[in-house]
Amino acid sequence: MSYASLRECVDDLERRRQLVRIESPVDAHLEAAAIHRRVHAAGGPAIYFANVTGCRFPMVSNLYGTMERTRLMFRDALHGVERLVQLRANPQAAAKEFWKYWQVPLDVRFMLPKSVTSGPILAGQTTLSQLPQMQSWPRDGGPFVTLPIVYSEDVREPGLRRSNVGMYRVQLAGNRYQRDAEIGLHYQIHRSIGVHHEAARRAGEPFRVNVFVGGPPSLAVAAVMPLPEGMSELGFAGALGRRRVRMIRRPGTLPILADADFCIVGTIDPDRLLPEGPFGDHLGYYSLTHDFPVLKVEAVYHRRDAIWPFTVVGRPPQEDTMFGELIHELTGPMIPVVLPGVKGVHAVDAAGVHPLLLAIGSERYMPFLGTTQPQELLTQACAILGQGQLSLAKYLMIVAQQDDPNLQVDNIPAFLAHVLQRADWRRDLHFHTQTTIDTLDYSGAGFNAGSKLVIAAAGPKRFELATELPPMMAVPNGFRHPRLVMPGVLAVEGPRCPAPSFDYDESVRARTEARDATAGAMRQFVRDLDVAHPMNQFRLIVVVDDTQFVSESLNNFLWAVFTRSNPADDVYGIDEFTSEKHWSCRGALIIDARVKAHHAPVLEEDPEIARRVDALGAPGGPLHGII
């Protein structure tokens, strides 16, 4: 199936009972997002909001909410795209196995964008305040576009070939934005739009940006896809949608996506930044208010039958988890080509994606010596941390395929056990300090700033993993409620830290004031333990706020530990020592994963909104039987 528009996709999903229509009024302020979260958590259908309070445009969400539905939408294209990626990874395959790739020229024909003079997008014009004012979380700074397709070009070489299409959040109103005239454009560190922005600044030329909303669903997938260098997002969208992307050429300005549902046209103000945020983000916390570029809006276009698509992010898993799974499915074959020796990389969604990467590599250096110390793995770890958005990883665990050929990188319990059974804390911990981490991660030293820890494990199993608590185990003073999380991992509750603030400057001050006290409690904890202590039977000890929560599920453990710790600040060990500037420990590794004053606040729903959503699931309600 090839969708020419979002409307075609919605109609197709409804025919196939993959979409539920809500005719009763729904408020775009908090209520629609709460409905989305409940339906998505239940594995439910896409949701069409036919009657948006105070707005003439309908909305749709949860389009990509399950892999079944995502594959359904692109059912006629996925094999073709997989073939294209495989050939990109191994061009010689076409000659060796030509019978598998005879259709590639047919797939390639969709990759060339088509220039047109008009299209459905130019049917009408409106204003920013007439668009759905979607707000997902109570403390968000205003309404946001959550599925934007942001288009920019390089002023040094304008045109479609060097264009960038990315998904960078857009704040429609609130804070200090001039109503109907300005919007906020938030893009994180290591995003291609930043290259275009810098080129325009250096050239002293206007930096024009178009924000598309809606259109064929393949555009949204292309906007989040980490494509190989030289592969166009527009071309990828054409291949995935099996239809050439139509762009309206206009003299003196950027082209417009002809089949988009909405298009916001504007120019980045070269002399102004304005506060953007807060925004409830995909780590499960608010990203705080910071100064970001301002887009001066010149026009807002929409098609006659326009639908406003949106998603809701928050603590994973959410709908964007499906984007991650699809990305892995399509681009997995590229890993060994881009990263020689690396067999697989898994960004752990439950840990917020960037905070934790798992990787399987190879140990091929001097095999005749039979060494069991990580060597090539360390080279591969550096390559991973130098590759695109993988460079934002905070914790990277990498193991050798030879040690267990059956180990799968996405089997997280088995992978963690493999690491804990082999890693030697005296040599296998490799810190990168004073470096960059994900913009949305507030566990570090400042905005975009933090540290990384590579844990490389190679060789045979060295350690047995404790599976029960020692009887009558004493816990250092001020700490309590030890619980087994998984084999080899113990959780202990530590003293509570001051609560996070929504004021970033205040959080920085709080960090400075509370750091000594926070670290002091941990240093005392470490001093009270030694290698003879019963807690040292565990390879990893995590200090948390609530051991029951952390031990209830693997996802709780991954989320709490890896989103709430900064390696350089929060990693300790029993019998710590430093040799040749290499930090190590002879006993258990300890991670302080408590919520701290400089962290961002956790996302929480409005209880009244939640009660209204419950009513929609009651007998006779539109969501009865779904939530």
Side-chain angles (χ1 to χ4, degrees), residues 175-216:
N175 295 353
R176 287 159 44 196
Y177 299 117
Q178 185 178 342
R179 179 182 171 88
D180 286 324
E182 296 175 335
I183 59 177
L185 180 60
H186 175 289
Y187 61 81
Q188 295 151 241
I189 192 170
H190 213 295
R191 297 300 192 269
S192 296
I193 191 174
V195 177
H196 287 181
H197 194 173
E198 176 63 13
R201 286 169 57 89
R202 285 182 176 274
E205 295 187 24
F207 181 45
R208 303 193 63 80
V209 172
N210 285 348
V211 180
F212 308 128
V213 184

mmCIF file of all heavy atoms in Angstrom, residues 175-216:
data_model
loop_
_atom_site.group_PDB
_atom_site.id
_atom_site.type_symbol
_atom_site.label_atom_id
_atom_site.label_comp_id
_atom_site.label_asym_id
_atom_site.label_seq_id
_atom_site.Cartn_x
_atom_site.Cartn_y
_atom_site.Cartn_z
ATOM 1 N N ASN A 175 5.653 30.918 27.183
ATOM 2 C CA ASN A 175 6.889 31.616 27.535
ATOM 3 C C ASN A 175 6.844 33.058 27.012
ATOM 4 O O ASN A 175 5.865 33.763 27.213
ATOM 5 C CB ASN A 175 8.103 30.848 27.025
ATOM 6 C CG ASN A 175 8.252 29.500 27.715
ATOM 7 O OD1 ASN A 175 7.530 29.196 28.665
ATOM 8 N ND2 ASN A 175 9.166 28.675 27.245
ATOM 9 N N ARG A 176 7.881 33.471 26.260
ATOM 10 C CA ARG A 176 7.924 34.857 25.781
ATOM 11 C C ARG A 176 7.759 34.946 24.268
ATOM 12 O O ARG A 176 8.126 35.941 23.647
ATOM 13 C CB ARG A 176 9.251 35.481 26.202
ATOM 14 C CG ARG A 176 9.300 35.783 27.703
ATOM 15 C CD ARG A 176 10.699 35.913 28.264
ATOM 16 N NE ARG A 176 11.596 36.704 27.434
ATOM 17 C CZ ARG A 176 12.919 36.702 27.570
ATOM 18 N NH1 ARG A 176 13.474 35.937 28.494
ATOM 19 N NH2 ARG A 176 13.684 37.449 26.798
ATOM 20 N N TYR A 177 7.172 33.912 23.666
ATOM 21 C CA TYR A 177 6.970 33.958 22.214
ATOM 22 C C TYR A 177 5.824 34.896 21.864
ATOM 23 O O TYR A 177 4.777 34.885 22.515
ATOM 24 C CB TYR A 177 6.659 32.557 21.673
ATOM 25 C CG TYR A 177 7.775 31.562 21.903
ATOM 26 C CD1 TYR A 177 7.579 30.438 22.699
ATOM 27 C CD2 TYR A 177 9.031 31.761 21.339
ATOM 28 C CE1 TYR A 177 8.600 29.536 22.924
ATOM 29 C CE2 TYR A 177 10.063 30.855 21.558
ATOM 30 C CZ TYR A 177 9.838 29.753 22.354
ATOM 31 O OH TYR A 177 10.861 28.866 22.575
ATOM 32 N N GLN A 178 6.040 35.703 20.844
ATOM 33 C CA GLN A 178 4.996 36.604 20.376
ATOM 34 C C GLN A 178 3.899 35.786 19.707
ATOM 35 O O GLN A 178 4.166 35.022 18.775
ATOM 36 C CB GLN A 178 5.579 37.626 19.391
ATOM 37 C CG GLN A 178 4.587 38.685 18.947
ATOM 38 C CD GLN A 178 5.225 39.694 18.004
ATOM 39 O OE1 GLN A 178 6.447 39.811 17.937
ATOM 40 N NE2 GLN A 178 4.401 40.404 17.272
ATOM 41 N N ARG A 179 2.669 35.957 20.157
ATOM 42 C CA ARG A 179 1.551 35.143 19.682
ATOM 43 C C ARG A 179 1.412 35.241 18.169
ATOM 44 O O ARG A 179 1.435 36.338 17.592
ATOM 45 C CB ARG A 179 0.261 35.608 20.371
ATOM 46 C CG ARG A 179 -0.997 34.861 19.946
ATOM 47 C CD ARG A 179 -2.201 35.457 20.659
ATOM 48 N NE ARG A 179 -3.464 34.932 20.155
ATOM 49 C CZ ARG A 179 -4.066 33.843 20.601
ATOM 50 N NH1 ARG A 179 -3.510 33.159 21.574
ATOM 51 N NH2 ARG A 179 -5.219 33.444 20.090
ATOM 52 N N ASP A 180 1.283 34.090 17.540
ATOM 53 C CA ASP A 180 1.061 33.964 16.099
ATOM 54 C C ASP A 180 2.203 34.515 15.247
ATOM 55 O O ASP A 180 2.053 34.679 14.036
ATOM 56 C CB ASP A 180 -0.256 34.635 15.666
ATOM 57 C CG ASP A 180 -1.471 33.824 16.069
ATOM 58 O OD1 ASP A 180 -1.384 32.586 16.030
ATOM 59 O OD2 ASP A 180 -2.496 34.432 16.427
ATOM 60 N N ALA A 181 3.343 34.802 15.854
ATOM 61 C CA ALA A 181 4.460 35.361 15.088
ATOM 62 C C ALA A 181 5.776 34.631 15.325
ATOM 63 O O ALA A 181 6.674 34.691 14.478
ATOM 64 C CB ALA A 181 4.636 36.847 15.421
ATOM 65 N N GLU A 182 5.905 33.925 16.470
ATOM 66 C CA GLU A 182 7.168 33.277 16.807
ATOM 67 C C GLU A 182 6.919 31.899 17.395
ATOM 68 O O GLU A 182 5.927 31.697 18.117
ATOM 69 C CB GLU A 182 7.950 34.108 17.842
ATOM 70 C CG GLU A 182 8.383 35.478 17.357
ATOM 71 C CD GLU A 182 9.041 36.288 18.455
ATOM 72 O OE1 GLU A 182 8.753 36.024 19.659
ATOM 73 O OE2 GLU A 182 9.833 37.184 18.129
ATOM 74 N N ILE A 183 7.836 30.986 17.095
ATOM 75 C CA ILE A 183 7.812 29.681 17.734
ATOM 76 C C ILE A 183 9.243 29.301 18.126
ATOM 77 O O ILE A 183 10.207 29.855 17.603
ATOM 78 C CB ILE A 183 7.209 28.584 16.826
ATOM 79 C CG1 ILE A 183 7.995 28.454 15.514
ATOM 80 C CG2 ILE A 183 5.740 28.879 16.537
ATOM 81 C CD1 ILE A 183 7.476 27.335 14.605
ATOM 82 N N GLY A 184 9.356 28.372 19.057
ATOM 83 C CA GLY A 184 10.673 27.923 19.501
ATOM 84 C C GLY A 184 11.095 26.663 18.775
ATOM 85 O O GLY A 184 10.287 25.748 18.577
ATOM 86 N N LEU A 185 12.348 26.612 18.377
ATOM 87 C CA LEU A 185 12.891 25.445 17.686
ATOM 88 C C LEU A 185 13.989 24.845 18.557
ATOM 89 O O LEU A 185 15.045 25.448 18.748
ATOM 90 C CB LEU A 185 13.438 25.837 16.314
ATOM 91 C CG LEU A 185 14.038 24.719 15.468
ATOM 92 C CD1 LEU A 185 13.006 23.636 15.178
ATOM 93 C CD2 LEU A 185 14.580 25.282 14.158
ATOM 94 N N HIS A 186 13.723 23.666 19.092
ATOM 95 C CA HIS A 186 14.659 22.995 19.992
ATOM 96 C C HIS A 186 15.357 21.876 19.236
ATOM 97 O O HIS A 186 14.718 20.950 18.744
ATOM 98 C CB HIS A 186 13.868 22.414 21.173
ATOM 99 C CG HIS A 186 14.692 21.588 22.137
ATOM 100 N ND1 HIS A 186 15.186 20.343 21.822
ATOM 101 C CD2 HIS A 186 15.072 21.826 23.424
ATOM 102 C CE1 HIS A 186 15.844 19.863 22.860
ATOM 103 N NE2 HIS A 186 15.782 20.737 23.835
ATOM 104 N N TYR A 187 16.666 21.985 19.104
ATOM 105 C CA TYR A 187 17.377 20.815 18.595
ATOM 106 C C TYR A 187 18.533 20.494 19.517
ATOM 107 O O TYR A 187 19.175 21.364 20.080
ATOM 108 C CB TYR A 187 17.821 21.001 17.141
ATOM 109 C CG TYR A 187 18.778 22.126 16.842
ATOM 110 C CD1 TYR A 187 20.149 21.980 17.058
ATOM 111 C CD2 TYR A 187 18.323 23.326 16.294
ATOM 112 C CE1 TYR A 187 21.036 22.997 16.747
ATOM 113 C CE2 TYR A 187 19.205 24.353 15.982
ATOM 114 C CZ TYR A 187 20.555 24.169 16.216
ATOM 115 O OH TYR A 187 21.435 25.180 15.907
ATOM 116 N N GLN A 188 18.753 19.197 19.684
ATOM 117 C CA GLN A 188 19.725 18.722 20.653
ATOM 118 C C GLN A 188 21.129 18.670 20.046
ATOM 119 O O GLN A 188 21.320 18.884 18.851
ATOM 120 C CB GLN A 188 19.305 17.336 21.148
ATOM 121 C CG GLN A 188 18.000 17.341 21.911
ATOM 122 C CD GLN A 188 17.256 16.027 21.797
ATOM 123 O OE1 GLN A 188 16.143 15.982 21.300
ATOM 124 N NE2 GLN A 188 17.873 14.958 22.268
ATOM 125 N N ILE A 189 22.068 18.366 20.907
ATOM 126 C CA ILE A 189 23.445 18.252 20.470
ATOM 127 C C ILE A 189 23.565 17.123 19.439
ATOM 128 O O ILE A 189 22.839 16.134 19.489
ATOM 129 C CB ILE A 189 24.356 17.992 21.685
ATOM 130 C CG1 ILE A 189 25.826 18.167 21.319
ATOM 131 C CG2 ILE A 189 24.097 16.624 22.304
ATOM 132 C CD1 ILE A 189 26.754 18.151 22.518
ATOM 133 N N HIS A 190 24.473 17.292 18.499
ATOM 134 C CA HIS A 190 24.774 16.305 17.464
ATOM 135 C C HIS A 190 23.578 16.097 16.533
ATOM 136 O O HIS A 190 23.182 14.964 16.241
ATOM 137 C CB HIS A 190 25.204 14.966 18.078
ATOM 138 C CG HIS A 190 26.213 14.242 17.219
ATOM 139 N ND1 HIS A 190 25.902 13.767 15.964
ATOM 140 C CD2 HIS A 190 27.506 13.940 17.416
ATOM 141 C CE1 HIS A 190 26.970 13.183 15.432
ATOM 142 N NE2 HIS A 190 27.959 13.282 16.299
ATOM 143 N N ARG A 191 22.984 17.185 16.060
ATOM 144 C CA ARG A 191 21.910 17.109 15.085
ATOM 145 C C ARG A 191 22.321 17.878 13.836
ATOM 146 O O ARG A 191 22.942 18.938 13.909
ATOM 147 C CB ARG A 191 20.601 17.690 15.649
ATOM 148 C CG ARG A 191 20.038 16.949 16.851
ATOM 149 C CD ARG A 191 19.723 15.491 16.521
ATOM 150 N NE ARG A 191 18.929 14.845 17.550
ATOM 151 C CZ ARG A 191 19.419 14.186 18.587
ATOM 152 N NH1 ARG A 191 20.733 14.120 18.750
ATOM 153 N NH2 ARG A 191 18.629 13.598 19.466
ATOM 154 N N SER A 192 21.936 17.346 12.657
ATOM 155 C CA SER A 192 22.435 17.901 11.392
ATOM 156 C C SER A 192 21.952 19.325 11.142
ATOM 157 O O SER A 192 22.625 20.089 10.445
ATOM 158 C CB SER A 192 22.009 16.990 10.233
ATOM 159 O OG SER A 192 22.614 15.716 10.348
ATOM 160 N N ILE A 193 20.800 19.683 11.690
ATOM 161 C CA ILE A 193 20.316 21.043 11.467
ATOM 162 C C ILE A 193 21.313 22.062 12.036
ATOM 163 O O ILE A 193 21.421 23.187 11.538
ATOM 164 C CB ILE A 193 18.907 21.244 12.087
ATOM 165 C CG1 ILE A 193 18.310 22.580 11.621
ATOM 166 C CG2 ILE A 193 18.955 21.147 13.603
ATOM 167 C CD1 ILE A 193 16.877 22.795 12.067
ATOM 168 N N GLY A 194 22.057 21.678 13.067
ATOM 169 C CA GLY A 194 23.052 22.574 13.642
ATOM 170 C C GLY A 194 24.142 22.936 12.644
ATOM 171 O O GLY A 194 24.659 24.064 12.646
ATOM 172 N N VAL A 195 24.512 21.990 11.771
ATOM 173 C CA VAL A 195 25.507 22.267 10.730
ATOM 174 C C VAL A 195 24.968 23.320 9.765
ATOM 175 O O VAL A 195 25.679 24.258 9.379
ATOM 176 C CB VAL A 195 25.871 20.970 9.977
ATOM 177 C CG1 VAL A 195 26.849 21.259 8.851
ATOM 178 C CG2 VAL A 195 26.454 19.939 10.956
ATOM 179 N N HIS A 196 23.691 23.182 9.374
ATOM 180 C CA HIS A 196 23.076 24.150 8.471
ATOM 181 C C HIS A 196 22.973 25.527 9.133
ATOM 182 O O HIS A 196 23.195 26.556 8.490
ATOM 183 C CB HIS A 196 21.690 23.668 8.046
ATOM 184 C CG HIS A 196 21.729 22.531 7.075
ATOM 185 N ND1 HIS A 196 20.594 21.963 6.561
ATOM 186 C CD2 HIS A 196 22.776 21.870 6.499
ATOM 187 C CE1 HIS A 196 20.927 20.990 5.723
ATOM 188 N NE2 HIS A 196 22.246 20.912 5.677
ATOM 189 N N HIS A 197 22.598 25.528 10.405
ATOM 190 C CA HIS A 197 22.452 26.792 11.127
ATOM 191 C C HIS A 197 23.792 27.528 11.195
ATOM 192 O O HIS A 197 23.883 28.741 10.935
ATOM 193 C CB HIS A 197 21.905 26.507 12.524
ATOM 194 C CG HIS A 197 21.410 27.716 13.241
ATOM 195 N ND1 HIS A 197 20.763 27.657 14.445
ATOM 196 C CD2 HIS A 197 21.476 29.047 12.938
ATOM 197 C CE1 HIS A 197 20.445 28.868 14.853
ATOM 198 N NE2 HIS A 197 20.872 29.733 13.958
ATOM 199 N N GLU A 198 24.855 26.792 11.523
ATOM 200 C CA GLU A 198 26.172 27.402 11.621
ATOM 201 C C GLU A 198 26.647 27.924 10.267
ATOM 202 O O GLU A 198 27.255 28.999 10.181
ATOM 203 C CB GLU A 198 27.168 26.392 12.184
ATOM 204 C CG GLU A 198 28.613 26.873 12.244
ATOM 205 C CD GLU A 198 28.814 28.068 13.166
ATOM 206 O OE1 GLU A 198 27.904 28.387 13.964
ATOM 207 O OE2 GLU A 198 29.885 28.702 13.093
ATOM 208 N N ALA A 199 26.356 27.182 9.198
ATOM 209 C CA ALA A 199 26.765 27.630 7.859
ATOM 210 C C ALA A 199 26.081 28.948 7.501
ATOM 211 O O ALA A 199 26.704 29.850 6.923
ATOM 212 C CB ALA A 199 26.430 26.562 6.822
ATOM 213 N N ALA A 200 24.804 29.079 7.833
ATOM 214 C CA ALA A 200 24.088 30.320 7.551
ATOM 215 C C ALA A 200 24.647 31.472 8.378
ATOM 216 O O ALA A 200 24.796 32.603 7.880
ATOM 217 C CB ALA A 200 22.598 30.126 7.826
ATOM 218 N N ARG A 201 24.975 31.211 9.639
ATOM 219 C CA ARG A 201 25.550 32.253 10.493
ATOM 220 C C ARG A 201 26.876 32.741 9.935
ATOM 221 O O ARG A 201 27.137 33.946 9.888
ATOM 222 C CB ARG A 201 25.736 31.713 11.917
ATOM 223 C CG ARG A 201 24.441 31.581 12.714
ATOM 224 C CD ARG A 201 24.667 30.802 14.000
ATOM 225 N NE ARG A 201 25.700 31.415 14.827
ATOM 226 C CZ ARG A 201 25.467 32.354 15.753
ATOM 227 N NH1 ARG A 201 24.230 32.778 15.944
ATOM 228 N NH2 ARG A 201 26.447 32.846 16.477
ATOM 229 N N ARG A 202 27.720 31.815 9.512
ATOM 230 C CA ARG A 202 29.033 32.187 8.988
ATOM 231 C C ARG A 202 28.910 32.982 7.689
ATOM 232 O O ARG A 202 29.695 33.895 7.431
ATOM 233 C CB ARG A 202 29.885 30.941 8.755
ATOM 234 C CG ARG A 202 30.435 30.322 10.029
ATOM 235 C CD ARG A 202 31.312 29.119 9.707
ATOM 236 N NE ARG A 202 31.925 28.555 10.906
ATOM 237 C CZ ARG A 202 33.061 28.984 11.430
ATOM 238 N NH1 ARG A 202 33.722 29.987 10.870
ATOM 239 N NH2 ARG A 202 33.551 28.420 12.519
ATOM 240 N N ALA A 203 27.915 32.600 6.883
ATOM 241 C CA ALA A 203 27.734 33.270 5.593
ATOM 242 C C ALA A 203 26.975 34.590 5.728
ATOM 243 O O ALA A 203 26.901 35.356 4.773
ATOM 244 C CB ALA A 203 26.989 32.348 4.629
ATOM 245 N N GLY A 204 26.409 34.844 6.914
ATOM 246 C CA GLY A 204 25.616 36.057 7.115
ATOM 247 C C GLY A 204 24.326 36.051 6.321
ATOM 248 O O GLY A 204 23.795 37.101 5.962
ATOM 249 N N GLU A 205 23.808 34.854 6.032
ATOM 250 C CA GLU A 205 22.578 34.734 5.249
ATOM 251 C C GLU A 205 21.427 34.281 6.135
ATOM 252 O O GLU A 205 21.644 33.636 7.175
ATOM 253 C CB GLU A 205 22.780 33.735 4.108
ATOM 254 C CG GLU A 205 23.802 34.174 3.072
ATOM 255 C CD GLU A 205 23.849 33.231 1.885
ATOM 256 O OE1 GLU A 205 22.834 32.538 1.643
ATOM 257 O OE2 GLU A 205 24.894 33.182 1.208
ATOM 258 N N PRO A 206 20.185 34.587 5.740
ATOM 259 C CA PRO A 206 19.031 34.125 6.524
ATOM 260 C C PRO A 206 18.990 32.605 6.565
ATOM 261 O O PRO A 206 19.282 31.942 5.568
ATOM 262 C CB PRO A 206 17.825 34.682 5.748
ATOM 263 C CG PRO A 206 18.364 35.755 4.878
ATOM 264 C CD PRO A 206 19.783 35.394 4.560
ATOM 265 N N PHE A 207 18.653 32.061 7.732
ATOM 266 C CA PHE A 207 18.514 30.615 7.856
ATOM 267 C C PHE A 207 17.027 30.289 7.839
ATOM 268 O O PHE A 207 16.318 30.443 8.809
ATOM 269 C CB PHE A 207 19.165 30.128 9.152
ATOM 270 C CG PHE A 207 19.093 28.638 9.332
ATOM 271 C CD1 PHE A 207 19.396 27.785 8.278
ATOM 272 C CD2 PHE A 207 18.737 28.080 10.552
ATOM 273 C CE1 PHE A 207 19.338 26.402 8.439
ATOM 274 C CE2 PHE A 207 18.686 26.715 10.726
ATOM 275 C CZ PHE A 207 18.986 25.875 9.666
ATOM 276 N N ARG A 208 16.592 29.839 6.694
ATOM 277 C CA ARG A 208 15.177 29.541 6.499
ATOM 278 C C ARG A 208 14.873 28.105 6.915
ATOM 279 O O ARG A 208 15.676 27.196 6.682
ATOM 280 C CB ARG A 208 14.779 29.768 5.042
ATOM 281 C CG ARG A 208 15.059 31.194 4.543
ATOM 282 C CD ARG A 208 14.378 31.464 3.214
ATOM 283 N NE ARG A 208 12.928 31.386 3.327
ATOM 284 C CZ ARG A 208 12.152 32.360 3.801
ATOM 285 N NH1 ARG A 208 12.691 33.520 4.188
ATOM 286 N NH2 ARG A 208 10.848 32.208 3.874
ATOM 287 N N VAL A 209 13.714 27.919 7.501
ATOM 288 C CA VAL A 209 13.281 26.595 7.976
ATOM 289 C C VAL A 209 11.800 26.426 7.672
ATOM 290 O O VAL A 209 11.012 27.361 7.881
ATOM 291 C CB VAL A 209 13.522 26.451 9.503
ATOM 292 C CG1 VAL A 209 12.902 25.152 10.022
ATOM 293 C CG2 VAL A 209 15.016 26.476 9.821
ATOM 294 N N ASN A 210 11.429 25.265 7.170
ATOM 295 C CA ASN A 210 10.027 24.891 7.026
ATOM 296 C C ASN A 210 9.718 23.748 7.979
ATOM 297 O O ASN A 210 10.488 22.790 8.067
ATOM 298 C CB ASN A 210 9.713 24.447 5.595
ATOM 299 C CG ASN A 210 9.629 25.609 4.620
ATOM 300 O OD1 ASN A 210 9.580 26.767 5.037
ATOM 301 N ND2 ASN A 210 9.621 25.311 3.339
ATOM 302 N N VAL A 211 8.605 23.857 8.683
ATOM 303 C CA VAL A 211 8.154 22.802 9.586
ATOM 304 C C VAL A 211 6.909 22.169 8.984
ATOM 305 O O VAL A 211 5.859 22.813 8.886
ATOM 306 C CB VAL A 211 7.841 23.356 10.993
ATOM 307 C CG1 VAL A 211 7.363 22.226 11.902
ATOM 308 C CG2 VAL A 211 9.067 24.041 11.586
ATOM 309 N N PHE A 212 7.040 20.903 8.567
ATOM 310 C CA PHE A 212 5.905 20.168 8.025
ATOM 311 C C PHE A 212 5.292 19.323 9.135
ATOM 312 O O PHE A 212 6.002 18.769 9.990
ATOM 313 C CB PHE A 212 6.334 19.251 6.883
ATOM 314 C CG PHE A 212 7.132 19.937 5.804
ATOM 315 C CD1 PHE A 212 8.347 19.428 5.387
ATOM 316 C CD2 PHE A 212 6.668 21.101 5.217
ATOM 317 C CE1 PHE A 212 9.096 20.050 4.403
ATOM 318 C CE2 PHE A 212 7.405 21.752 4.233
ATOM 319 C CZ PHE A 212 8.618 21.220 3.820
ATOM 320 N N VAL A 213 3.975 19.207 9.119
ATOM 321 C CA VAL A 213 3.261 18.344 10.056
ATOM 322 C C VAL A 213 2.318 17.483 9.228
ATOM 323 O O VAL A 213 1.573 18.000 8.394
ATOM 324 C CB VAL A 213 2.472 19.153 11.108
ATOM 325 C CG1 VAL A 213 1.813 18.215 12.118
ATOM 326 C CG2 VAL A 213 3.383 20.142 11.829
ATOM 327 N N GLY A 214 2.362 16.184 9.452
ATOM 328 C CA GLY A 214 1.515 15.285 8.676
ATOM 329 C C GLY A 214 2.149 14.918 7.347
ATOM 330 O O GLY A 214 3.366 14.954 7.185
ATOM 331 N N GLY A 215 1.307 14.562 6.391
ATOM 332 C CA GLY A 215 1.805 14.050 5.127
ATOM 333 C C GLY A 215 1.932 12.541 5.174
ATOM 334 O O GLY A 215 1.601 11.900 6.184
ATOM 335 N N PRO A 216 2.430 11.919 4.126
ATOM 336 C CA PRO A 216 2.609 10.467 4.128
ATOM 337 C C PRO A 216 3.427 10.017 5.339
ATOM 338 O O PRO A 216 4.434 10.640 5.676
ATOM 339 C CB PRO A 216 3.351 10.206 2.809
ATOM 340 C CG PRO A 216 2.974 11.360 1.929
ATOM 341 C CD PRO A 216 2.839 12.537 2.849
#
